[in-house]
Amino acid sequence: QGRFTLEDVPAGPAELFVLATANKAARVPLTVQGGQSVDVADVSPRAGGTFFVKLHARGNRRVAEAAVTVEGTPIEASGLDDNAPRHVGPLPTGCYGLSFSARGFISTSVQDCVDAGKQTVLNVELVPDGSSAEERCALAGCGGDGRSAMDGRGVKSPEDSH
């Protein structure tokens, strides 16, 4: 028997996301009445599923200090890299959106599903954001001086042709 209070929850449909143990979780749908208490029936967390996340980058770049958030849940993880896959969960059976971010890469989202007691392998490719000088050269070409055409130097404007 436990009691807890959540404040500033808007009236309407809501969901409690319960992480009971390292491998059990539950989602409990409920309706919040404005300014009233809500009694929730006993919650029986079940074996959850996990995502087994393997990161890699286009162009053989290293991935370090990446982060993932499982949308609509309190589950998130940081410090992900391309050397060591990570378990993300537990999550109740269902389908989820996951958002990945890492410095130097375009943020990406994927969707997949988990089943009770099982792991779903996610191979996630991160795409470099083109912010480094080397990437700008690879995308737009560089002059002999190593300056990218994307940075505005080394590119002739129409006024230069007079």
Side-chain angles (χ1 to χ4, degrees), residues 1-87:
Q1 293 265 6
R3 290 195 172 275
F4 56 93
T5 302
L6 300 176
E7 296 183 6
D8 300 323
V9 178
E15 182 177 67
L16 290 177
F17 190 92
V18 180
L19 294 175
T21 67
N23 57 10
K24 288 187 176 183
R27 292 182 106 132
V28 182
L30 51 93
T31 301
V32 177
Q33 304 295 326
Q36 298 180 18
S37 295
V38 176
D39 287 324
V40 177
D42 287 343
V43 176
S44 299
R46 298 174 188 241
T50 59
F51 288 111
F52 189 63
V53 178
K54 297 178 180 181
L55 295 178
H56 59 277
R58 186 174 294 173
N60 295 323
R61 288 234 356 238
R62 294 263 312 122
V63 178
E65 295 303 314
V68 61
T69 301
V70 182
E71 297 163 8
T73 77
I75 304 286
E76 55 186 40
S78 59
L80 284 77
D81 60 36
D82 54 3
N83 283 331
R86 288 269 295 272
H87 287 95

